[in-house]
Amino acid sequence: MFSSLRYGGINPPIAQEFHRQNIESVVADCLSRAKMTVNDVDAIAVASRPGLLMSLVVGLRYAKHLARKYSKPLIPIHHMEAHALMARLEHRSELNFPFLCLLASGGHCLLAMVKSVNDFSLLGEALDGSPGECFDKAARAIGLMNLPEYSESSGGRAIELEAYKATNVNRFAFPSPMSDGRNCQFSFSGLKSAAITIVQDLQKSSQIEPGQLIPYHEDFCAGFLRATTKHIMRKTQRAIQYCERKGFFGFGANAKSRSLVFSGGVACNDFIFRAMSEMASEFGYKTFRPSKRLCTDNGVMIAWNGIERWIDNEQLYRELDIDSVTALDREPFKTNLIDDVERKNIQCSWLKVPSMQSNTLVQT
Ligand code: KG4
Ligand code: ZN
């Protein structure tokens, strides 16, 4: 059972109203497609945190109503933890705890060490913005979203597809954000403002209106995608080196296999995924991601997290007082190691962002 609806970019009261109008029919439709009734489910998993309160409360209220009516246990789910564990559904035989996780979406960018279903340690997070938001804003600014082929697509996907057509990836210069801090913290405002400045200059010099397609937009997309990839890749490399310093996977003969999970909408990007995989493999890590439809926000990830939690500690949820569960706009992971990463003062010899040429699109 799941409950997670998404109406990106819509203002909160309207999103809440959409949730209200659709929650009952979405759940009914889901059950009928699975040829099940609520009586057949063991428990009801629901996203309760972190997120937009107005939307979360609609799902939570309905999940509580079903849980009471059918006497089912309720499993409250952390949205970001659900993204992180999603890859285990499809890679269950290979992807075991612990693993390092990179989550990048339109609302977040973070790195965490994941020891178990409920043991997450934060290594770094975005101080401002997110890669997905940058892609979405840049795609609109350069006029991509007015092209019919991208009318149904996200800004991130539009930028990715145009980037593969570039002829000169160095035509535009983008900054390397936060390159001096020896931490795993992200910042996207510098990249965003550099993109806006380049676009405004081009609009002026080419005498085009805001929103019209800019000249050399393919080269812009490639430069922007590479700069964003470089930032994420470097922070992830430091996180890997931190894991190694801490012996996170164990040492010697007892060491566990080293895994990096990449999830969230931005993990749909084949170039960024390849860059992370190639970099991580240099340190002996295998990189996993969910199939693309499960990287972006979805209900399956909430249901899957419910299953993982149920298997881990069924009794906890059988005894949980449903009234005590509330929606929260924020909830930090169990442990915060951001300062510890900085204290370790890890110097890295940066691996290079791969070339864009040999990229082939993955169709999942
Ligand atoms: O995880 P998600 O569905 O929702 C949240 O923001 O939580 O992520 C949506 C984001 C959007 O900003 C979108 O531009 C980005 O994921 N995205 C991509 C790609 N597909 C979606 N970014 C880069 N490359 C893609 N192929
Ligand atoms: Zn999400």
Side-chain angles (χ1 to χ4, degrees):
M1 176 63 75
F2 62 82
S3 169
S4 171
L5 304 171
R6 179 176 158 72
Y7 299 99
I10 297 175
N11 79 31
I14 296 177
Q16 183 184 45
E17 193 45 41
F18 273 131
H19 275 71
R20 268 209 206 103
Q21 284 170 7
N22 290 298
I23 187 103
E24 212 172 328
S25 61
V26 165
V27 173
D29 185 43
C30 168
L31 285 167
S32 94
R33 282 207 245 165
K35 300 194 172 38
M36 290 169 81
T37 69
V38 184
N39 286 315
D40 300 319
V41 306
D42 293 308
I44 296 175
V46 59
S48 66
R49 65 204 191 281
L52 207 60
L53 281 181
M54 278 193 175
S55 301
L56 287 176
V57 291
V58 177
L60 187 56
R61 210 176 287 149
Y62 190 62
K64 282 183 174 182
H65 156 74
L66 289 180
R68 285 198 191 95
K69 184 167 172 192
Y70 295 92
S71 301
K72 300 288 176 187
L74 189 77
I75 310 180
I77 304 290
H78 189 291
H79 181 91
M80 302 311 289
E81 293 181 359
H83 268 305
L85 296 200
M86 189 66 253
R88 278 169 50 83
L89 173 64
E90 294 158 307
H91 302 282
R92 192 137 176 80
S93 57
E94 258 191 298
L95 179 56
N96 297 307
F97 294 115
F99 57 82
L100 173 64
C101 181
L102 165 67
L103 299 180
S105 68
H108 296 271
C109 195
L110 64 85
L111 281 156
M113 298 194 314
V114 186
K115 275 200 198 131
S116 71
V117 174
N118 45 36
D119 190 342
F120 283 63
S121 301
L122 185 67
L123 303 184
E125 63 189 339
L127 297 169
D128 52 63
S130 71
E133 182 221 354
C134 273
F135 289 137
D136 294 338
K137 291 216 163 114
R140 268 198 301 276
I142 64 175
L144 276 191
M145 304 322 283
N146 297 328
L147 300 180
E149 61 264 45
Y150 297 127
S151 60
E152 301 280 294
S153 149
S154 70
R157 183 165 167 78
I159 298 239
E160 179 184 8
L161 296 182
E162 289 303 307
Y164 297 148
K165 301 178 193 162
T167 51
N168 179 3
V169 298
N170 298 314
R171 186 183 302 276
F172 301 106
F174 292 95
S176 280
M178 300 190 68
S179 41
D180 19 304
R182 289 198 178 157
N183 54 40
C184 290
Q185 298 284 74
F186 299 92
S187 168
F188 296 94
S189 58
L191 279 168
K192 206 164 55 184
S193 50
I196 301 294
T197 307
I198 291 171
V199 173
Q200 285 171 345
D201 289 350
L202 274 172
Q203 283 165 346
K204 222 182 267 169
S205 60
S206 319
Q207 298 186 329
I208 54 170
E209 294 294 315
Q212 258 182 283
L213 198 60
I214 61 160
Y216 307 115
H217 63 273
E218 301 93 339
D219 293 342
F220 175 97
C221 291
F224 192 59
L225 177 54
R226 285 183 65 82
T228 310
T229 304
K230 183 170 156 190
H231 180 45
I232 301 174
M233 197 174 127
R234 289 190 169 185
K235 297 299 178 174
T236 309
Q237 182 179 333
R238 179 168 284 110
I240 286 178
Q241 296 191 221
Y242 175 79
C243 286
E244 294 306 306
R245 184 78 73 86
K246 296 278 273 193
F248 181 51
F249 294 94
F251 295 103
N254 295 327
K256 304 227 169 88
S257 52
R258 289 162 161 75
S259 305
L260 168 67
V261 168
F262 183 19
S263 190
V266 175
C268 292
N269 191 293
D270 292 331
F271 178 72
I272 306 181
F273 178 69
R274 183 161 65 87
M276 294 310 140
S277 307
E278 289 180 10
M279 179 274 292
S281 77
E282 292 293 317
F283 295 90
Y285 285 58
K286 180 160 182 190
T287 305
F288 299 88
R289 66 172 163 175
S291 51
K292 289 182 182 178
R293 69 186 180 90
L294 299 177
C295 282
T296 49
D297 281 355
N298 66 84
V300 178
M301 72 188 203
I302 305 301
W304 173 247
N305 201 277
I307 292 169
E308 291 251 50
R309 289 181 164 276
W310 186 247
I311 293 169
D312 180 61
N313 195 346
E314 183 179 324
Q315 203 50 34
L316 177 78
Y317 299 104
R318 288 201 182 280
E319 288 165 10
L320 183 76
D321 171 16
I322 292 181
D323 292 329
S324 71
V325 180
T326 50
L328 301 169
D329 57 348
R330 285 180 59 82
E331 195 187 53
F333 288 149
K334 187 171 162 189
T335 316
N336 185 323
L337 295 174
I338 292 175
D339 292 341
D340 193 51
V341 173
E342 188 119 34
R343 268 197 300 275
K344 293 281 179 295
N345 199 25
I346 300 167
Q347 192 178 1
C348 303
S349 299
W350 299 125
L351 296 182
K352 283 209 159 43
V353 176
S355 128
M356 210 158 252
Q357 258 120 37
S358 53
N359 228 78
T360 47
L361 274 178
V362 177
Q363 293 301 340
T364 59

Coordinates of all heavy atoms in Angstrom, one line a residue, residues 79-80 83 105 297 301, ligand 2:
H79 N 10.7 10.3 3.4 CA 10.8 10.4 1.9 C 12.2 10.2 1.4 O 12.4 9.4 0.4 CB 10.3 11.8 1.5 CG 10.3 12.1 0.0 ND1 9.2 11.9 -0.7 CD2 11.3 12.5 -0.8 CE1 9.5 12.2 -2.0 NE2 10.7 12.6 -2.1
M80 N 13.2 10.8 2.0 CA 14.6 10.6 1.5 C 15.1 9.2 1.8 O 15.9 8.7 0.9 CB 15.5 11.7 2.1 CG 15.1 13.1 1.9 SD 14.7 13.5 0.2 CE 16.3 13.4 -0.6
H83 N 13.8 7.1 -1.0 CA 14.6 7.2 -2.3 C 15.9 6.3 -2.1 O 16.3 5.6 -3.1 CB 15.1 8.6 -2.4 CG 14.2 9.5 -3.2 ND1 13.8 9.2 -4.5 CD2 13.6 10.7 -2.9 CE1 13.0 10.2 -5.0 NE2 12.9 11.1 -4.0
S105 N 17.8 15.5 -6.5 CA 16.5 15.6 -7.1 C 16.3 17.1 -7.3 O 17.2 17.9 -7.3 CB 15.5 15.0 -6.1 OG 15.4 15.8 -5.0
D297 N 10.2 10.8 -8.0 CA 9.2 10.5 -6.9 C 8.2 9.6 -7.4 O 7.7 9.7 -8.5 CB 8.5 11.9 -6.6 CG 9.4 12.7 -5.7 OD1 10.5 12.2 -5.3 OD2 9.0 13.8 -5.4
M301 N 8.3 3.5 -4.0 CA 9.4 3.7 -3.0 C 8.9 3.7 -1.6 O 9.5 3.3 -0.7 CB 10.3 4.9 -3.4 CG 9.7 6.2 -3.1 SD 10.8 7.5 -3.7 CE 10.2 8.9 -2.7
Ligands
ZN2 ZN 11.9 13.0 -3.9

